[in-house]
Amino acid sequence: MNGFLLPGATPDALLGLLADVTIRGSILLALVAGLARLLRGRSAAVRHVLWTVGIVGFLALPVLSANVPWKLRVLPAIQASAGGATAALPAAGAPPAGVLPAQPAEFATEVQGSEAAPAAPVEATIPPFSPGGGIDLRGFLLWAWGVGAGLLILRLIVGNVRVRALLARSRELTDEASEREVFHLARRLDIGSYVRLLVSDEISMPITTGIRRPAIVLPAGFEDWTEDRLRAVILHELAHIHRRDVLSHLASRVACALHWFNPLAWHSAARLRTESERACDDLVLQAGTRASAYADHLLSILRSCSTVPSPAMAIPLARRTEFEGRLLAILEPDARRAAAGRATVLALAAAVAVIALPLAAVAPAEGPDGTPGLLSGDLESGTEGAPADAQRPRGGADAEADRAADRNAIDDTADAGADPRTDRASAPDEDRDGLAATLEGLARGASDAVAGVITDIFAQEPLDQESTESRLVNALAPVLAGDDDVSTRRAAAMALGEVEDPRAVEALSRALENDPDESVRRAAAWALGEIESPRGIPALARAAQTDASQEVRETAVWALGEIEHPDAIPALAQVAASGETAGIRRRAVWGLGEIEHPDAVPTLARIATSNEPLELRRMAVWGLGVIEHPSAIPALGALIRNGNGPLKRMAIWALGEIEHPDGVEFLRAPLSDGDPDVRRAALWALGEIESEAGVDAIAGALSDSDPRIRAMAVWALGEIESARAVPHLAPLLRDRDPDVRKRVAWALGQIESGSATDALSAIAGDGDVGVRRTVIWALSEIEDPRAVPALRRALTDAERDIRFLALQGLADIETAASVEAILDALESGDPEMRRAATAALGRGGVDMSAFRFDFDFDFDFDAVFEGFEWGWDPGWDEWSDDPGPDADPDF
């Protein structure tokens, strides 16, 4: 491919180049896709790195092929001329060569007796294919590719211009609180550049843009978001900036533009985009955001959006088409969410190089005359590498002279006893077999090599001595142990905190225990918390209990919580119960909760029910709720009986988090508490526990004087999904408030009991559109044949989504009456409705899923918690932040 897109290249050469790049690139992307499947158990960040280097390798293949210093000459030899391609053509009666399209050729014959003996084959020039002498097909294909690529490149340029214009029209948030929040989160992600925070009324979905000057653009309605939602959104967008996703997305779009006809390019770009979003979600979750809360934030934002912008230089927060899989990944409790380390990035790049370099080096074997064979991409103006006589146009006297020379050469071959049909005509078949075997062997060899690389990447053994991290440890450990300058030792300790190597932990542990300088010991404790290796627990435990410096002890306690290993529980428990300062003891209790292990429950329960300061007890209750173990239920029940307002609400919250039926008995009394916040909290906890034992107690709250409490009771009964709740809920379908009727219909649909069918059918014609929609949805969920008449009437509803819901419900019921009702839908004036009815009649023969959809219930239960506080300090959300080096100006 030395003549890559040179000016003056012939259409044959360019089209051959395009085909060559497509074949090589498709093999590369296919192998990368297989490798990504092998890594499906790893984090999204690791898979995103793989897709990124795969796409970069895909784009770089032409350059690699042109500049690789060695060639694997394993493909069939192909010669070329200026006017077209030439190939060895078989003698008369021989099978077609198959390497290039068969075209008419001249054959020399020699008369021997009365028979005309077939002469040996000659090289014949194959003109560009032009059916019927009309349009040049090769030229047309090149024109089509150029138009498609040009339009998509133009789209990228226009998208960039639009984003720049959007930024110019947006207003920048410069208030102190916003700047401090963005700066704080950006610092946590080690983002060195200044990140602008903008607001625009032209978008309804947050976006991230910019490479050198990154910016986050929020929609105008973000002021109505909760503080937690805003923080999660900003953290997600900062994750894109930290990972430089705008650049990788741009590379994938360039690949799609240049290879718009290749489905593998589009698939790879889609996978890169998906893994990018999931990796950013993982970072948000690792920062402490609850998965369920984060999923709810994304869903609420997505529902409020009319359109989702997706220009090349901007990344939207979420896309509808990808949200389902992303939501499942967020809520997956056992998913790996770690970022990709430097060693992993380098190893994955090496793995792709193992695939790409052999592909770039593959070339045809030498031709019969000893000249190198050509790939279509090796053509420079259609002549490079061809014999000198093949590089000039053949015509007139020159052509006749060439043909005479060819006949003489054939005569010489015949005299030597060679059989041209054996030597030349059979070569194409051999070439085809060799090509298939070569490609198969190449793919198999690349797969084996990549598998070996991946095994090395994720082996649990210590890193190789020659690895980058090993060299860093070899360089930094002596500095930390023996340098005379305090600031140098401190810097070495902080640098080792970025290295995941067991020897780094050993060096830091020695420094934590032996270094005479307080700031160095504190930096070593911070670094051990960053590495998060259980090997550092012994040294941290001793420092947390015995170090002379309070700041070192506090940093060591923080690090023990960050490591999140049960071996740290004894040390943290001892600090929590010691005579330390209140701040260190609260930090120790926080660490016990962060570890989330049942062994911490006894210590936390004892502190929660003691006479310790209120702040310490509240932190202990928080820890019990985070651990979510049933052994904490008796202590939490005692707090509910005897605790004050904030402590009682926190204990109720913890019972809801544990979600064990034994907690129900302690939640009955709070339902009659004089504090409405306590009653709401108890209903929420009962809904979270989802035990049928709580139905009767919740039903009593349906008559509460507070409408928010009644709404929460309806939600809780819907979450429990017990048929015992139907008699309590059904009368409320006649409530005057349409919002109440909608919520009750939703709860009955959640319960899916046939005992609610009659009550729901009775209001299927409700005057409120939202009520009708929710009722029809509920009847569809219940799938009771008695609902057919109501669903049949709904097929004529003025609202299109209600008609589709009714059709969906009838298709699920699958009775003779429901079939007759679906037949009525075939008379609809809505073409899509008729198609959906036809699919529904297939009852398994036709996929009905394309006509199913989600809709907005026009209500949510978030409002019932408006103004409600559980009782914990919002500042606790920041306790996972580093208490160490950056907090001290002297560091």
Side-chain angles (χ1 to χ4, degrees):
M1 291 171 52
N2 298 326
F4 179 59
L5 290 183
L6 286 177
T10 65
D12 286 334
L14 294 178
L15 190 59
L17 170 64
L18 187 59
D20 177 41
V21 171
T22 300
I23 293 172
R24 295 177 194 259
S26 296
I27 295 174
L28 172 64
L29 292 181
L31 290 174
V32 169
L35 186 53
R37 184 169 180 81
L38 292 177
L39 298 179
R40 61 185 179 274
R42 297 292 167 178
S43 67
V46 171
R47 294 191 298 273
H48 177 261
V49 171
L50 174 62
W51 283 114
T52 299
V53 295
I55 288 175
V56 171
F58 178 56
L59 290 172
L61 263 180
V63 178
L64 288 175
S65 297
N67 295 281
V68 69
W70 42 270
K71 295 289 185 181
L72 297 175
R73 299 196 177 277
V74 294
L75 298 181
I78 302 174
Q79 299 294 335
S81 69
T86 65
L89 298 178
V99 177
L100 291 176
Q103 298 290 334
E106 298 180 15
F107 295 92
T109 60
E110 180 178 353
V111 179
Q112 297 179 358
S114 59
E115 294 184 3
V122 299
E123 289 189 345
T125 301
I126 302 174
F129 176 67
S130 179
I135 299 175
D136 182 355
L137 181 58
R138 289 185 173 89
F140 173 77
L141 291 176
L142 285 175
W143 177 85
W145 169 79
V147 170
L151 288 176
L152 290 174
I153 293 292
L154 179 62
R155 180 185 177 190
L156 297 182
I157 296 173
V158 171
N160 187 31
V161 172
R162 290 178 58 195
V163 169
R164 289 177 177 270
L166 174 67
L167 295 179
R169 294 191 297 269
S170 302
R171 62 181 177 89
E172 185 168 0
L173 287 178
T174 57
D175 60 284
E176 182 179 354
S178 300
E179 288 192 332
R180 184 170 59 249
E181 178 73 5
V182 173
F183 175 79
H184 170 73
L185 295 176
R187 188 183 64 181
R188 288 186 61 185
L189 295 179
D190 196 25
I191 298 174
S193 57
Y194 174 71
V195 180
R196 293 180 296 162
L197 188 62
L198 308 172
V199 180
S200 172
D201 56 5
E202 300 178 29
I203 61 173
S204 55
M205 172 72 70
I207 62 173
T208 298
T209 184
I211 297 175
R212 290 186 301 172
R213 298 185 60 204
I216 299 172
V217 187
L218 300 176
F222 86 95
E223 294 90 350
D224 298 330
W225 295 351
T226 63
E227 184 177 346
D228 289 342
R229 177 171 298 178
L230 179 60
R231 185 174 184 272
V233 168
I234 292 177
L235 189 56
H236 178 96
E237 303 305 328
L238 285 173
H240 280 304
I241 296 171
H242 168 68
R243 294 161 37 79
R244 297 176 176 84
D245 285 339
V246 173
L247 193 58
S248 63
H249 282 218
L250 180 60
S252 70
R253 294 192 181 222
V254 170
C256 289
L258 296 178
H259 299 269
W260 56 265
F261 53 88
N262 190 341
L264 280 174
W266 293 96
H267 170 77
S268 301
R271 293 309 308 164
L272 179 140
R273 185 171 61 245
T274 297
E275 301 299 356
S276 165
E277 293 298 336
R278 292 182 181 181
C280 292
D281 291 338
D282 290 344
L283 191 147
V284 175
L285 296 176
Q286 284 187 307
T289 304
R290 288 186 58 200
S292 57
Y294 182 51
D296 180 64
H297 294 328
L298 292 179
L299 183 59
S300 298
I301 294 172
L302 193 60
R303 281 178 171 176
S304 65
C305 293
S306 54
T307 58
V308 178
S310 186
M313 298 295 289
I315 304 175
L317 178 68
R319 294 176 174 87
R320 297 180 188 275
T321 55
E322 302 170 353
F323 187 68
E324 180 179 356
R326 184 175 166 189
L327 186 64
L328 293 175
I330 291 172
L331 298 176
E332 172 58 47
D334 300 324
R336 297 190 180 186
R337 307 191 187 278
R342 288 189 297 271
T344 300
V345 174
L346 292 175
L348 287 175
V352 172
V354 168
I355 302 173
L357 287 177
L359 285 172
V362 168
E366 292 185 350
D369 57 355
T371 59
L374 299 178
L375 280 180
S376 54
D378 289 320
L379 303 175
E380 286 191 11
S381 301
T383 61
E384 181 180 334
D389 62 339
Q391 296 183 17
R392 67 178 187 270
R394 295 191 176 191
D398 287 340
E400 183 59 34
D402 290 340
R403 285 193 288 271
D406 290 338
R407 284 195 292 271
N408 293 332
I410 294 168
D411 291 341
D412 293 341
T413 303
D415 292 340
D419 186 349
R421 288 173 295 178
T422 301
D423 296 342
R424 299 289 296 275
S426 62
D429 289 331
E430 296 174 0
D431 287 342
R432 285 199 301 272
D433 295 340
L435 174 60
T438 298
L439 291 179
E440 181 181 356
L442 177 62
R444 182 169 57 252
S447 298
D448 293 342
V450 171
V453 172
I454 293 304
T455 301
D456 294 339
I457 295 173
F458 296 108
Q460 298 302 314
E461 302 172 358
L463 294 176
D464 185 79
Q465 290 292 328
E466 295 301 318
S467 70
T468 302
E469 294 194 351
S470 292
R471 291 198 296 270
L472 285 174
V473 175
N474 291 337
L476 293 172
V479 175
L480 177 61
D483 197 278
D484 294 334
D485 183 67
V486 171
S487 61
T488 301
R489 298 201 306 275
R490 188 166 59 236
M494 295 177 64
L496 285 172
E498 303 295 327
V499 180
E500 297 180 3
D501 188 291
R503 290 172 301 148
V505 176
E506 295 172 5
L508 290 167
S509 297
R510 287 193 297 269
L512 176 59
E513 295 187 304
N514 301 321
D515 198 283
D517 186 82
E518 170 188 337
S519 66
V520 175
R521 297 199 306 275
R522 187 180 175 202
W526 171 85
L528 289 171
E530 286 291 295
I531 296 175
E532 300 181 8
S533 171
R535 295 171 181 262
I537 290 177
L540 288 169
R542 288 189 288 270
Q545 299 172 57
T546 62
D547 196 277
S549 167
Q550 177 179 327
E551 291 185 343
V552 173
R553 296 198 304 274
E554 181 173 1
T555 306
V557 169
W558 166 83
L560 289 171
E562 283 292 289
I563 293 174
E564 299 182 7
H565 193 278
D567 289 353
I569 290 176
L572 290 172
Q574 185 169 345
V575 173
S578 68
E580 274 285 6
T581 64
I584 294 181
R585 294 182 66 195
R586 283 202 302 272
R587 179 73 72 179
V589 172
W590 167 84
L592 291 171
E594 281 291 289
I595 294 173
E596 297 185 14
H597 194 276
D599 288 354
V601 169
T603 299
L604 294 173
R606 185 168 55 253
I607 294 174
T609 55
S610 68
N611 293 323
E612 295 282 2
L614 179 60
E615 286 303 307
L616 192 65
R617 298 174 66 192
R618 291 168 63 198
M619 182 66 79
V621 175
W622 169 84
L624 293 173
V626 170
I627 295 174
E628 300 181 6
H629 195 269
S631 60
I633 291 177
L636 295 171
L639 289 174
I640 292 173
R641 286 194 300 266
N642 306 317
N644 60 14
L647 202 59
K648 181 185 295 186
R649 289 198 300 273
M650 287 197 66
I652 292 172
W653 165 81
L655 285 179
E657 290 293 297
I658 294 173
E659 298 182 6
H660 194 278
D662 289 352
V664 171
E665 63 176 288
F666 297 108
L667 295 170
R668 299 180 192 275
L671 290 176
S672 57
D673 194 277
D675 186 348
D677 283 348
V678 172
R679 300 201 299 274
R680 278 195 286 171
L683 288 169
W684 172 85
L686 288 168
E688 289 290 299
I689 294 173
E690 298 182 8
S691 172
E692 193 171 351
V695 168
D696 293 335
I698 297 172
L702 292 173
S703 58
D704 196 282
S705 59
D706 190 327
R708 295 175 301 176
I709 293 177
R710 295 197 300 271
M712 183 57 70
V714 171
W715 170 84
L717 292 174
E719 288 293 298
I720 294 175
E721 300 181 8
S722 170
R724 288 178 52 193
V726 173
H728 301 291
L729 290 169
L732 295 178
L733 291 173
R734 298 292 182 181
D735 194 279
R736 293 182 178 180
D737 187 349
D739 192 59
V740 173
R741 300 199 298 274
K742 283 188 290 187
R743 294 174 189 270
V744 171
W746 169 86
L748 293 173
Q750 289 285 103
I751 295 171
E752 298 184 11
S753 172
S755 59
T757 300
D758 293 338
L760 288 167
S761 298
I763 66 165
D766 195 280
D768 185 89
V769 172
V771 173
R772 292 203 310 276
R773 181 187 297 113
T774 311
V775 166
I776 297 303
W777 169 84
L779 290 173
S780 300
E781 292 292 300
I782 294 172
E783 299 183 14
D784 188 342
R786 290 178 298 165
V788 169
L791 293 173
R792 188 169 192 166
R793 289 191 296 271
L795 290 175
T796 61
D797 196 279
E799 294 293 322
R800 180 173 176 273
D801 55 352
I802 293 178
R803 298 198 301 271
F804 272 90
L805 281 170
L807 184 59
Q808 179 175 305
L810 290 168
D812 291 337
I813 291 174
E814 297 186 359
T815 65
S818 67
V819 171
E820 291 180 4
I822 294 172
L823 289 172
D824 291 344
L826 292 175
E827 306 298 325
S828 171
D830 184 348
E832 191 171 359
M833 189 73 176
R834 293 197 300 272
R835 288 196 299 271
T838 303
L841 289 171
R843 307 238 301 270
V846 180
D847 185 9
M848 183 66 182
S849 61
F851 300 98
R852 298 177 184 270
F853 61 96
D854 295 325
F855 65 92
D856 190 348
F857 284 105
D858 293 334
F859 68 87
D860 59 57
F861 287 94
D862 292 342
V864 300
F865 276 110
E866 188 175 345
F868 178 79
E869 295 182 0
W870 284 112
W872 60 62
D873 185 351
W876 292 354
D877 293 337
E878 306 299 327
W879 275 51
S880 61
D881 296 345
D882 299 354
D886 292 338
D888 187 348
D890 294 335
F891 253 82

